[in-house]
Amino acid sequence: MRAHDDAGPGDERPPTALAIRHVRFEDLGLLEPVLRERGYAVEYADVGSGEFDARAVADADLVVVLGGPIGVYEADEHPVLRAEIAAIAERLGRGAPTLGICLGAQLLAVAAGAEVRATGAHEIGYAPLQLSAAGFASPLGHLAGVPVLHWHGDAFDLPAGVPSLAATPGFPNQAFALGDSALALQFHLEADPARIDEWLIGHTHELRAVGADVRGIRADAARLGAELASAGAAVVTEWLDRMPHPDAAAAGSGAGAAGADPSGQ
């Protein structure tokens, strides 16, 4: 576990935001300053380094589950996915604040009882979302007309009784919320446009395989990144503002993850 901020001797412990990271360059990026400004001490749990600790996930005040190039359904090849799903399901069951991005959103979906599948299609690059009525009424309303970064080929179904907040032509479920305490985003608000080459280099095999326009993605990051950074910060800020008080979350424990199977099966 790597802490970025720590309270000094005698200081009151700040709330902890724990980011579950699957590859190093897919980090909190633009969202880290937002969390720091809200007073969170930011920590990373690097899954590939054997640092996944279910107790730390349970104890964190806020958990952000980040993206990665593996599929939720590949638990036989990557057994740590089962531990992640179980830990996330535990948080959802008690209404603990949890944000999932891309792979993280798919892990939230499975933890809440929904299915994730490979589509054979790929959506990579900057494009706007089609917000549903529920999406406009949610913190995602800040993204109306704003191109976001898509980087996925898998799709999640929605947990029972939960509406889709956003869609694109090829992926009808791009986001969902479980009450005010859990938010799942298939797309990326966190990717720093100034560091887009880390993504383009790190995912070069995938990009070549699907014939993605690398130069176009780089140009779009430079052209659209500032607007997305502002809108993304507004989304996360409003989501945090809507967060229920811990006592209220405890009283509603179990409502957010009805039907969840901690094993992810």
Side-chain angles (χ1 to χ4, degrees):
M1 204 74 66
R2 291 171 171 79
H4 281 202
D5 294 290
D6 294 289
D11 293 341
E12 183 178 351
R13 173 190 172 276
T16 301
L18 177 65
I20 300 176
R21 181 167 55 181
H22 301 89
V23 289
R24 292 301 179 96
F25 59 85
E26 291 199 38
D27 55 21
L28 285 169
L30 296 173
L31 299 186
E32 185 164 335
V34 177
L35 296 176
R36 289 188 180 196
E37 288 168 8
R38 296 289 296 224
Y40 284 94
V42 175
E43 300 179 355
Y44 283 92
D46 288 303
V47 172
S49 298
E51 293 186 7
F52 186 78
D53 181 346
R55 186 69 260 162
V57 174
D59 290 345
D61 298 286
L62 168 67
V63 165
V64 182
V65 191
L66 295 166
I70 57 178
V72 176
Y73 43 79
E74 296 177 320
D76 287 344
E77 291 83 1
H78 307 287
V80 70
L81 290 167
R82 294 192 180 94
E84 289 189 68
I85 292 166
I88 293 167
E90 188 276 335
R91 289 188 65 84
L92 298 183
R94 56 187 172 86
T98 310
L99 172 64
I101 297 174
C102 201
L103 171 61
Q106 295 158 16
L107 287 163
L108 261 68
V110 172
E115 293 186 1
V116 174
R117 63 192 178 281
T119 66
H122 291 82
E123 192 172 51
I124 300 177
Y126 288 83
L129 299 161
Q130 300 166 354
L131 296 179
S132 66
F136 275 111
S138 79
L140 298 191
H142 297 283
L143 297 176
V146 178
V148 300
L149 178 60
H150 302 276
W151 207 302
H152 51 259
D154 293 347
F156 55 73
D157 292 333
L158 296 169
V162 174
S164 174
L165 301 180
T168 55
F171 291 81
N173 300 324
Q174 287 277 0
F176 67 85
L178 299 172
D180 289 324
S181 61
L183 182 62
L185 309 176
Q186 176 87 308
F187 48 88
H188 296 272
L189 298 179
E190 83 291 1
D192 186 343
R195 295 171 50 206
I196 195 66
D197 274 317
E198 294 183 39
W199 290 61
L200 298 176
I201 293 168
H203 291 306
T204 186
H205 291 293
E206 178 186 20
L207 293 169
R208 287 176 180 167
V210 302
D213 180 2
V214 171
R215 292 176 181 174
I217 295 171
R218 184 182 293 113
D220 284 347
R223 180 171 60 92
L224 303 169
E227 182 183 17
L228 178 55
S230 177
V235 168
V236 174
T237 297
E238 182 177 339
W239 179 63
L240 292 172
D241 286 342
R242 293 188 182 198
M243 199 71 64
H245 187 275
D247 291 342
S253 176
D261 176 358
S263 71
Q265 302 302 313

